């Protein structure tokens, strides 16, 4: 028997809070009648701030307990809404806080850090005021755009990975990247090249990756497509001409064949159309080689602050041996190695370790030891192959290190741990394991690495007090 469907309802609601994904929340209680007993409807709204009064249309309102919607009309702005941002069109999902005054964004993120730590019974007075940006716009050195099946080139809608919102501009991207995006879009339409339809799993153009070094003024452009460039002449030659004529700092233009149905951006084959297969970038005075798939901090201004904070908390000197867990290409390893006696880095991605070794050599460091291994096994093997460090630094992925790795770190037993986190939730979860082994939380320094997004980084210091 089919469930009864109810008419759509138009409701005027007040946004009560924002969740950790940036969705506004309001609760509506249906008045009791024959079709409803007054049950609650939990409404999640995109592109809003706390205190906004908005009009929404809810399909089958009485027949559901939850709804995720865009608002129809902003009736009254909340006190934190930045009215300089137009409300007549929605931004993509990557920047749900764009409508909020920046000082209120910082408060939202600070509260998030404290709330997650409080849930795990940590002392929130140890959380220092968040470090924001003087200029929180156009800070990204990397942007990944998606080609839509209807000719769009932009970013996904918040919460909807089937809809690509075509971008004329982005608050995150440098102007140069927007100019590249526009040229690529014009080139696509001129040659009538289809975007990839992820539902039908057909089409040509999939992604546009842009990287730019603010420090060195080097630009990289990468096209991901389902065919080889040789199959698309003379269109590909035209793309090379358009970009090289416009950008003298274009040091790498690549075409990456990605023919499989998987959504994960990957390379079946790589073709260098202009320049070299990598670009250079610089952070904290160290130079790094960057390939299309290299993980590198996307906000260099705040990344330098993260490194400086880690060095300050670590209090490294030339008598110390340091272990960098989840070391990547050496963003933290190289500055730590420069100040310490010796440094070991552990990372499961082989290409990252190859890059870390090369980056150490390029920067004249001969006191590093980089190993390809998962974190747990790497900790076990390190004592035999390298010895015991005085300090452990870890910078895990957004999902955190996890209980097994954190227990291994605790049993490893360095007196001091510096944890660089990109998720306050996984941070709080991970820290509980160290606490159980006698580590004390000393300080937590939030850093706004990604303004206008819901992400917040933290640099955390823990010290071992006793055996448990």
């Amino acid at each position: 028997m089919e469930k009864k469907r109810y008419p759509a309802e138009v409701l005027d609601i007040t946004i009560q809070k924002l969740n950790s994904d940036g969705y506004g929340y309001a609760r509506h209680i249906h008045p009791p009648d024959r079709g409803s007993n007054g049950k609650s409807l939990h409404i999640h709204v995109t592109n809003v701030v706390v205190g906004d009064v908005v009009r929404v249309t809810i399909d089958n309102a009485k027949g559901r307990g939850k709804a995720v919607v865009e608002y129809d009309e902003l009736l009254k702005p909340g006190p934190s809404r930045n009215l300089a941002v137009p409300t007549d069109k929605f931004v993509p999902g990557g920047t749900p806080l764009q409508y909020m005054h920046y000082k209120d964004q910082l408060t939202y993120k600070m509260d998030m850090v404290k709330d997650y730590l409080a849930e795990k019974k940590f002392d929130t007075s140890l959380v220092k005021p968040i470090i924001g940006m003087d200029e929180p716009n156009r800070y990204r050195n990397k942007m990944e755009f998606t080609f839509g099946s209807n000719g769009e080139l932009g970013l996904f809608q918040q919460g909807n990975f089937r809809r690509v919102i075509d971008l004329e501009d982005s608050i995150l991207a440098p102007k140069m990247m927007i100019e590249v995006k526009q040229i690529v879009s014009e080139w696509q339409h001129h040659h009538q090249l289809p975007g990839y339809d992820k539902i039908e799993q057909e089409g040509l153009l999939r992604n546009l990756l842009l990287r730019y070094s603010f420090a060195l003024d080097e630009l990289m452009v990468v096209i991901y497509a389902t065919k080889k460039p040789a199959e698309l002449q003379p269109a590909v030659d035209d793309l090379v001409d358009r970009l090289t004529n416009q950008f003298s700092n274009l040091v790498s233009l690549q075409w990456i064949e990605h023919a499989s149905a998987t959504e994960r951006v990957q390379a079946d084959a790589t073709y260098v159309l202009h320049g070299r297969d990598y670009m250079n970038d610089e952070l904290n005075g160290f130079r790094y080689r960057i390939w299309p798939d290299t993980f590198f901090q996307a906000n260099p201004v705040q990344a330098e602050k993260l490194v400086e904070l880690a060095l300050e908390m670590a209090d490294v000197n030339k008598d110390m041996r340091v272990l960098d867990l989840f070391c990547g290409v050496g963003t933290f390893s190289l500055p730590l190695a420069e100040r310490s006696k010796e440094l070991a880095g552990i990372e499961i991605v082989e290409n990252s370790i190859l890059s870390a070794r090369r980056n150490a050599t390029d920067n004249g460091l001969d006191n590093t030891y980089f190993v390809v291994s998962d974190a747990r096994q790497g900790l076990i093997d390190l004592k035999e192959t390298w010895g015991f460090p005085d300090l452990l630094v870890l910078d895990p992925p957004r999902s955190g290190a996890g209980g097994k790795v954190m227990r291994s770190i605790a049993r490893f037993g360095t007196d001091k741990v510096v944890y660089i986190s990109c998720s306050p939730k996984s941070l709080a979860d991970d820290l509980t394991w160290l606490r159980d082994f006698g580590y004390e939380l000393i300080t937590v320094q939030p850093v706004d690495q990604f303004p206008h997004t819901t992400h917040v980084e933290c640099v955390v210091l823990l010290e071992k007090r006793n055996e448990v």
Side-chain angles (χ1 to χ4, degrees), residues 159-179:
N160 183 359
F161 290 96
R162 295 187 176 189
R163 179 185 174 192
V164 176
I165 296 180
D166 194 74
L167 282 186
E168 296 177 6
D169 198 1
S170 167
I171 199 169
L172 304 182
K175 282 288 189 184
M176 181 181 298
M177 288 189 181
I178 299 301
E179 292 171 9

Side-chain angles (χ1 to χ4, degrees), residues 64-233:
R64 58 202 299 187
K66 176 184 176 181
V68 180
V69 295
E70 296 177 352
Y71 65 81
D72 302 327
E73 183 180 355
L74 175 65
L75 302 176
K76 180 182 177 183
S80 65
R81 178 172 278 272
N82 181 4
L83 294 175
V85 178
T87 60
D88 59 340
K89 58 182 179 180
F90 298 126
V91 298
T95 53
L97 303 188
Q98 184 172 338
Y99 295 101
M100 190 185 297
H101 288 297
Y102 187 55
K103 64 180 179 63
D104 295 300
Q105 293 185 32
L106 296 178
T107 300
Y108 163 85
K109 295 184 181 188
M110 184 81 172
D111 290 344
M112 189 191 307
V113 172
K114 288 186 173 182
D115 288 346
Y116 280 120
L117 290 173
E119 284 180 10
K120 301 298 182 180
K121 310 300 181 187
F122 287 103
D123 181 3
T124 57
S125 69
L126 300 174
V127 181
K128 294 184 176 182
I130 188 170
I131 297 174
M133 293 192 72
D134 295 332
E135 178 46 64
N137 301 332
R138 304 195 184 281
Y139 56 81
R140 285 191 64 96
N141 59 19
K142 175 187 176 184
M143 292 291 293
E144 294 180 61
F145 298 109
T146 298
F147 290 93
S149 57
N150 296 312
E152 311 94 338
L153 179 54
L155 300 175
F156 289 112
Q157 181 186 24
Q158 184 178 9
N160 183 359
F161 290 96
R162 295 187 176 189
R163 179 185 174 192
V164 176
I165 296 180
D166 194 74
L167 282 186
E168 296 177 6
D169 198 1
S170 167
I171 199 169
L172 304 182
K175 282 288 189 184
M176 181 181 298
M177 288 189 181
I178 299 301
E179 292 171 9
V180 173
K181 181 263 171 192
Q182 186 60 37
I183 288 173
V184 172
S185 184
E186 290 171 355
W187 163 80
Q188 176 196 4
H189 290 286
H190 176 79
H191 292 279
Q192 299 181 340
L193 302 175
Y196 184 76
D197 188 322
K198 60 192 301 184
I199 306 301
E200 301 297 328
Q201 296 184 359
E202 62 183 19
L204 174 66
L205 302 175
R206 302 183 74 141
N207 299 96
L208 170 66
L209 170 66
L210 305 177
R211 287 184 180 271
Y212 175 68
S213 168
F214 292 94
L216 303 175
D217 188 33
E218 292 196 2
L219 173 66
M220 172 186 282
V221 178
V222 184
I223 299 283
Y224 290 83
T226 57
K227 294 183 178 180
K228 298 175 176 61
E231 300 178 59
L232 297 160
Q233 301 292 7

Side-chain angles (χ1 to χ4, degrees), residues 194-396:
Y196 184 76
D197 188 322
K198 60 192 301 184
I199 306 301
E200 301 297 328
Q201 296 184 359
E202 62 183 19
L204 174 66
L205 302 175
R206 302 183 74 141
N207 299 96
L208 170 66
L209 170 66
L210 305 177
R211 287 184 180 271
Y212 175 68
S213 168
F214 292 94
L216 303 175
D217 188 33
E218 292 196 2
L219 173 66
M220 172 186 282
V221 178
V222 184
I223 299 283
Y224 290 83
T226 57
K227 294 183 178 180
K228 298 175 176 61
E231 300 178 59
L232 297 160
Q233 301 292 7
V236 171
D237 287 340
D238 182 37
L239 175 65
V240 174
D241 290 342
R242 289 176 187 237
L243 291 174
T244 55
N245 289 338
Q246 184 69 23
F247 302 101
S248 60
N249 61 346
L250 179 62
V251 300
S252 178
L253 173 57
Q254 300 181 52
W255 184 284
I256 293 182
E257 184 186 357
H258 173 197
S260 62
T262 177
E263 283 304 309
R264 183 175 177 270
V265 175
Q266 61 186 34
D268 298 328
T270 299
Y271 305 87
V272 178
L273 305 179
H274 171 79
R276 52 183 186 255
D277 67 344
Y278 70 93
M279 61 174 278
N280 294 303
D281 207 346
E282 196 172 276
L283 204 63
N284 296 93
F286 295 90
R287 183 165 290 202
Y288 298 85
R289 297 191 195 190
I290 310 296
W291 282 265
D293 61 350
T294 300
F295 174 79
F296 196 67
Q297 297 286 348
N299 181 343
V301 173
Q302 296 299 79
E304 291 197 338
K305 292 177 183 177
L306 288 176
V307 172
E308 290 163 3
L309 287 165
L311 291 170
E312 179 184 332
M313 291 186 190
D315 193 22
V316 181
N317 60 59
K318 285 294 185 179
D319 294 323
M320 293 176 65
R321 308 178 84 231
V322 180
L323 168 59
D324 185 5
L325 200 58
F326 306 99
C327 68
V329 299
T331 305
F332 292 94
S333 302
L334 303 193
L336 286 165
E338 183 184 52
R339 300 191 182 194
S340 63
K341 181 180 180 181
E342 291 178 285
L343 176 133
I346 298 174
E347 169 65 55
I348 196 170
V349 180
E350 184 175 6
N351 283 342
S352 293
I353 287 295
L354 294 174
S355 294
R357 290 170 181 162
R358 186 184 292 109
N359 290 330
T361 300
D362 288 349
N363 287 277
L365 296 170
D366 58 5
N367 63 339
T368 59
Y369 173 76
F370 291 104
V371 181
V372 180
S373 175
D374 68 85
R376 291 177 70 200
Q377 190 61 46
L379 288 170
I380 294 170
D381 296 340
L382 192 72
K383 289 181 181 179
E384 270 189 42
T385 59
W386 185 75
F388 188 79
D390 303 292
L391 164 74
L392 188 149
V393 177
L394 70 153
D395 180 18

Side-chain angles (χ1 to χ4, degrees), residues 1-7 34-35 60 62-63:
M1 183 177 177
E2 284 191 15
K3 288 185 178 180
K4 181 179 178 181
R5 287 190 61 83
Y6 297 87
R34 290 183 179 180
N60 190 30
K62 290 183 180 180

